[in-house]
Amino acid sequence: MASKPSIPQGTRDFSPAEVSKRQYIIQTIKNNFEKFGFQPIETPSFENSDTLMGKYGEEGDRLIFKILNSGNFFFNKSKIELPESIESLQVNSAEKIDINERIELNKFTSRISEKALRYDLTVPFARYVVQHQNEIEFPFKRYQIQPVWRADRPQRGRYREFFQCDADVVGSKSLWQEVELVQLYDTVFTSLGLSGVTIKINNRKILSGIAEVIGASDKLIDFTVALDKLDKIGEDGVKKEMMEKGISEEALVKVQPLFSFRGTISDKINQLSVLLASSEEGMKGVEELRFICDNVFNLGLSTAILDLDVTLARGLNYYTGAIFEIAPPKTVAMGSIGGGGRYDDLTGVFGLKNMSGVGISFGLDRIYLVLEELQLFPDTVTATSKALFINYGDKEAFYALKAIQELRKENIKVELYPDNVKVGKQFQHADKRMIPFAVIAGEQEIESNMYSLKNLLTGEQVSVDLEGLKAALLV
């Protein structure tokens, strides 16, 4: 008995209607990327493991899909010598593995897997920049729209295979780039008809400054990873995780103001200036934020809202300056639909020093869900044809195809039903496909060099020549 077909958890099939809507979003993002001067590149779906590992923090590394080397590998000593500490491990208890066992496991993994599916588009982009640095004109503005993979726990709006839509600039430390990226976010969401999006901004230097002020500089990563979970686990959950990571109760008392920042962006920046007065690094972050926010405010945004969120950390290790996260309108229960930030030293891990960059990403899948929930997809976004030509036989089909040729030259989506079957069946096909018009080209129409155009929604039918057919279907 044949097994029931299925797909891996966290992946999806897409229907023609869904693909059309996804392509509408992608094309809108792409058009605006190019309007802002970004150029397209593509990188392989998988990279060498050492390109990806160690770039996303411990949590990110665990979510990277590794690819087995070609060949057969069996977990027995006749094929591969397993370290004794590995043989006794439980597959699903990685969190219980101590540091020595983890080292042994990593060594073993590297012997059977040298490649991994890309986790995001930013690290492969950094690798691309270093590898092609002699061919690139800097500053280099690139965009990339490709799938990525994460071994995450699937849930609504979170998948194991999904597309990212990234725009980055490398080779410039100018904060005007951050100003323009905020404008780019605003322009894209305005083009999609999605008003009320909140562009949250913070600065990694501010987080470093806070860690310094509370005496926890050596726990910066633990501090930011925990802080980034505030929306998910709340203030008490964040404090509990920080204490578990070794951050003292005294430090938590000092960090308390973070959880109660209120007021305008200007008010929050002034509060930060007081909190971080003793930190040189923190004050640099304050001034960077002030520059970006003041200029965005003076230039204005169309439909988006800019907000300073001092608890915004984002879990990725490579951000060094501004960090962004995009929240959908408050009427939609959905996580972030985009994010990004400044990374001054990402290419340094590949041997290219002093190459500053800043970039943002759009979450295609979540944007799709938001547009669907708010019914913001235009009626014109469809994968279906505008009209179906009814097939009455070979002579009639030939006459129909001559018209179809001309209509397609005008970029009108039309098709001929391939078989000469009962007319009722052909009309049912058009109805199920949600094709709005049927074109009747029978013996009578051929003799008069005309076409009968039937509106399948209203039932209205008119006789038109080829130019009239074009005009009616172009509407």
Side-chain angles (χ1 to χ4, degrees):
M1 183 177 176
S3 60
K4 186 178 178 180
S6 63
I7 59 175
Q9 189 180 24
T11 64
R12 296 151 295 161
D13 290 323
F14 297 106
S15 69
E18 289 170 327
V19 170
S20 291
K21 290 176 180 178
R22 287 167 63 84
Q23 288 177 343
Y24 161 72
I25 298 171
I26 289 172
Q27 194 60 49
T28 301
I29 294 171
K30 178 182 175 183
N31 290 344
N32 284 292
F33 280 168
E34 293 181 356
K35 192 188 298 182
F36 276 68
F38 292 89
Q39 299 174 287
I41 68 164
E42 291 187 356
T43 60
S45 58
F46 56 92
E47 298 271 351
N48 292 325
S49 293
D50 57 7
T51 297
L52 303 179
M53 298 300 291
K55 311 302 189 303
Y56 307 103
E58 188 176 316
E59 289 194 7
D61 282 354
R62 284 203 295 265
L63 300 181
I64 292 174
F65 274 111
K66 298 176 180 65
I67 301 172
L68 283 178
N69 293 340
S70 299
N72 293 318
F73 294 92
F74 296 93
F75 295 95
N76 63 59
K77 292 191 175 183
S78 65
K79 296 294 181 182
I80 290 182
E81 188 70 27
L82 286 176
E84 289 183 8
S85 60
I86 301 297
E87 291 181 314
S88 61
L89 293 181
Q90 296 296 314
V91 174
N92 294 320
S93 60
E95 70 277 3
K96 298 178 183 177
I97 301 173
D98 69 25
I99 187 63
N100 293 324
E101 289 173 328
R102 191 178 297 281
I103 291 170
E104 288 297 322
L105 185 58
N106 288 339
K107 285 180 181 178
F108 172 68
T109 302
S110 67
R111 289 165 61 185
I112 65 172
S113 173
E114 298 165 347
K115 294 174 283 293
L117 293 175
R118 61 172 172 244
Y119 176 90
D120 73 350
L121 299 178
T122 306
V123 171
F125 172 53
R127 189 267 309 153
Y128 175 96
V129 169
V130 174
Q131 197 168 337
H132 299 274
Q133 58 187 286
N134 295 326
E135 308 154 29
I136 293 173
E137 172 61 27
F138 294 102
F140 180 42
K141 300 177 75 171
R142 87 80 169 87
Y143 76 84
Q144 199 170 345
I145 301 175
Q146 289 186 278
V148 299
W149 294 265
R150 295 182 184 179
D152 215 340
R153 185 170 62 85
Q155 53 187 286
R156 183 174 183 264
R158 187 185 294 273
Y159 307 98
R160 288 178 172 172
E161 178 185 61
F162 57 97
F163 267 73
Q164 282 190 340
C165 310
D166 284 14
D168 290 77
V169 188
V170 290
S172 170
K173 293 185 178 181
S174 170
L175 294 177
W176 288 111
Q177 303 291 355
E178 277 86 338
V179 173
E180 276 213 291
L181 289 174
V182 171
Q183 291 181 311
L184 176 54
Y185 266 136
D186 178 51
T187 302
V188 168
F189 289 120
T190 301
S191 299
L192 290 171
L194 186 57
S195 301
V197 162
T198 300
I199 304 169
K200 298 179 183 179
I201 186 172
N202 198 9
N203 193 294
R204 198 75 174 193
K205 293 183 180 72
I206 285 173
L207 296 169
S208 298
I210 293 169
E212 180 186 340
V213 167
I214 67 173
S217 292
D218 60 329
K219 301 283 186 180
L220 175 61
I221 299 301
D222 292 331
F223 171 76
T224 55
V225 167
L227 192 62
D228 198 43
K229 297 176 181 177
L230 182 63
D231 289 344
K232 298 175 185 175
I233 62 177
E235 181 179 335
D236 291 340
V238 169
K239 289 178 177 177
K240 180 182 177 184
E241 182 167 327
M242 286 182 177
M243 290 181 68
E244 288 173 351
K245 295 292 185 178
I247 296 172
S248 68
E249 284 190 47
E250 182 184 352
L252 292 180
V253 171
K254 292 180 181 178
V255 85
Q256 182 61 38
L258 274 187
F259 299 107
S260 56
F261 266 43
R262 299 289 185 271
T264 65
I265 290 178
S266 181
D267 292 336
K268 292 175 183 177
I269 288 176
N270 290 336
Q271 291 175 65
L272 283 172
S273 297
V274 174
L275 180 65
L276 300 173
S278 62
S279 169
E280 182 180 350
E281 177 81 351
M283 290 306 294
K284 282 182 184 176
V286 170
E287 292 311 310
E288 288 180 9
L289 266 183
R290 195 189 306 275
F291 179 91
I292 297 165
C293 294
D294 283 354
N295 281 292
V296 168
F297 178 78
N298 290 328
L299 287 165
L301 297 174
S302 297
T303 62
I305 303 158
L306 183 67
D307 185 38
L308 169 53
D309 183 351
V310 293
T311 66
L312 176 61
R314 294 186 65 81
L316 301 178
N317 288 349
Y318 49 68
Y319 292 130
T320 56
I323 44 182
F324 302 102
E325 190 161 280
I326 312 303
K330 294 177 181 178
T331 54
V332 182
M334 178 67 67
S336 66
I337 57 175
R342 166 73 65 172
Y343 43 88
D344 280 337
D345 56 4
L346 184 61
T347 56
V349 300
F350 299 119
L352 182 60
K353 303 293 184 183
N354 303 316
M355 183 60 69
S356 184
V358 61
I360 59 174
S361 181
F362 291 82
L364 170 65
D365 296 294
R366 289 187 175 183
I367 292 171
Y368 179 104
L369 292 172
V370 171
L371 295 184
E372 189 88 309
E373 183 170 332
L374 297 177
Q375 299 181 335
L376 292 175
F377 283 109
D379 294 337
T380 53
V381 178
T382 173
T384 195
S385 295
K386 195 71 179 283
L388 177 72
F389 280 71
I390 304 301
N391 190 331
Y392 288 96
D394 289 345
K395 178 183 175 183
E396 293 84 352
F398 182 78
Y399 177 74
L401 280 169
K402 287 196 294 184
I404 288 171
Q405 264 187 322
E406 296 303 313
L407 293 169
R408 286 172 178 165
K409 288 177 184 177
E410 302 293 331
N411 293 317
I412 301 171
K413 294 188 284 187
V414 289
E415 61 184 279
L416 171 71
Y417 193 87
D419 303 302
N420 177 15
V421 297
K422 289 181 179 180
V423 172
K425 183 176 181 180
Q426 298 185 50
F427 276 109
Q428 284 178 358
H429 178 74
D431 186 50
K432 289 177 180 178
R433 290 269 313 280
M434 300 181 71
I435 296 174
F437 292 97
V439 181
I440 298 165
E443 187 71 36
Q444 185 178 334
E445 283 79 16
I446 294 174
E447 287 179 3
S448 58
N449 199 29
M450 299 288 281
Y451 304 88
S452 294
L453 178 66
K454 183 170 185 176
N455 185 318
L456 297 178
L457 296 176
T458 65
E460 181 186 0
Q461 184 169 314
V462 294
S463 182
V464 293
D465 61 10
L466 181 57
E467 290 305 312
L469 192 58
K470 287 180 185 178
L473 295 179
L474 275 171
V475 175

